Structure formats: structure tokens, C-alpha cells
Amino acid sequence: MFVLVLAFDTATPAVTAAVAGSDRVLAESTVVDARRHGELLVPTIETVLGEAGVTLGDITAIVCGTGPGPYTGLRVGLMTAQALSTALGVPAHGICTLDAVAYGSGLPGPFLVATDARRKEVFWAHYDDARTRAHGPAVDLPKDLPGELPVAGAGAALYRDVIGAGRVVDTAPHYPFAGTLASLAVERLTTPGVTLDPPLPIYLRRPDAVVPGAPKKVTV
């Protein structure tokens, strides 16, 4: 089965994109900048397409990280995925951002993945192995992460003192690099009976920005 996947993720401070074929990652680019997702994503996509020597017309599937993540950054990637899917007439799929970190870690046994959720919290999930999510995603305080399992991801590094330095897996990637996301997508797309999620956001709490209510009445 021939596949040529364009994958990207904006659910963390890393704006990351990659192109992967059936047997390898052809190009990958990542910029870590939590404030410029909307500005950086399209140029990053253009960069990896150019480095891979392909055009958007060659792509057979779009894959985007679905979070969990902050509302503003996460929607940049998902809206781009849906727009490209419509324009190119190819399917768009979603993969949990934590799954990409887990897959990239290569850890063999039970472990947790944690990313920064801001507000002194972490987004996390429990994995039986690098491919199998057993529980989550969820959002909690770092001190409330369950058990004594190893913890991978930027959330682990950020709250090392709270989680316990001995539990933090320093060799694991902090972010869901798109090369890993693309490789995981290709694996799932080419495995019979395995389906990918739709490109819909995983929101674990309400956005900070809300529609203002009616003004309060003032009486004299």
C-alpha cells in the first residue's frame, strides 16, 4: 500500500511537521515557539515538502496531533489539517499528541507521558508500551500522577522535583516530533484492521477566552 503522509502537531510549544512514505521519514522540521503557531506552521510545512522533493498534490493523507493542548495552539493545526484535506481531496486523520511522544520514547514497559498543561498542571496518559495507551489522556497536578512509573515528556522534565528525578526519562523526547507522528500514522494506516481517529481536538478543560456576558445593571 503506497502512502505519503504529511503530519504536523501544534498542541505543544513545538511547531513540527514532517513528510513520510511507506518506509521512512523523508523530511522533518521543528521550531519550538509557544507564541507563533499560526505564523510558523505553513512555512514549516512548505519546508518539509521542499526537502522531501514532493508537492501537496503528491500527499495521500494528512495527519495532525489532536492534543490535549492549549486551545489556541491546538486549533491552528487542526484547522489547517481540515483545510488541506478539503482542498486536496485526501483524508485527514488525528493522533493523540501524547501517543506520538510515547511512540518516540521507545520505552518497552509501563510508563506515563506528561506534557505541560500550564496552570501548574500536566496533560498525561498511561501506556502499556510505546504503541498502547491504557488510560487517559487526563489533566492533573504533577503531584497527583499515579504510581511510581517512569514519566516521559516535557511535563516530566518541567516538574522533575515534584514527580521525582528518578522517575523522569531524560532519553525520551520532550515533544511530539512530527517525524515520529508520521511514522506512527504510516504504521497504523498500513496495518489491516487498525483505524485512526478523526482530526478532532482533545480538550480537557474550557478555553481561557469566553464570550462576555450581558453588562451588569447599574442602579442609582
Side-chain angles (χ1 to χ4, degrees), residues 19-93:
V19 175
S22 301
D23 58 349
R24 64 189 177 93
V25 175
L26 302 176
E28 178 180 11
S29 180
T30 300
V31 180
V32 179
D33 190 331
R35 297 181 180 276
R36 299 173 64 208
H37 293 91
E39 180 181 344
L40 292 171
L41 180 57
V42 171
T44 303
I45 290 173
E46 292 174 340
T47 295
V48 296
L49 289 170
E51 291 179 355
V54 301
T55 68
L56 281 174
D58 299 318
I59 297 299
T60 65
I62 307 292
V63 176
C64 183
T66 57
Y71 176 81
T72 302
L74 183 55
R75 69 177 181 175
V76 169
L78 288 165
M79 291 177 66
T80 301
Q82 292 170 5
L84 288 174
S85 172
T86 300
L88 300 174
V90 300
H93 306 284

Side-chain angles (χ1 to χ4, degrees), residues 90-192:
V90 300
H93 306 284
I95 290 180
C96 175
T97 294
L98 300 177
D99 289 1
V101 178
Y103 189 74
S105 76
L107 293 173
F111 62 94
L112 307 180
V113 168
T115 59
D116 182 19
R118 303 178 184 175
R119 305 181 191 176
K120 298 182 179 180
E121 294 179 323
V122 292
F123 297 121
W124 68 275
H126 175 193
Y127 291 83
D128 287 337
D129 55 53
R131 291 175 171 82
T132 310
R133 178 163 26 108
H135 176 75
V139 59
D140 284 296
L141 294 170
K143 69 180 182 64
D144 294 329
L145 290 178
E148 297 298 324
L149 295 175
V151 190
L158 182 63
Y159 296 105
R160 177 186 301 271
D161 293 341
V162 177
I163 295 170
R167 297 178 64 190
V168 177
V169 183
D170 290 316
T171 56
H174 285 183
Y175 300 114
F177 295 116
T180 302
L181 184 69
S183 296
L184 178 57
V186 169
E187 181 178 296
R188 291 181 176 177
L189 286 169
T190 57
T191 301

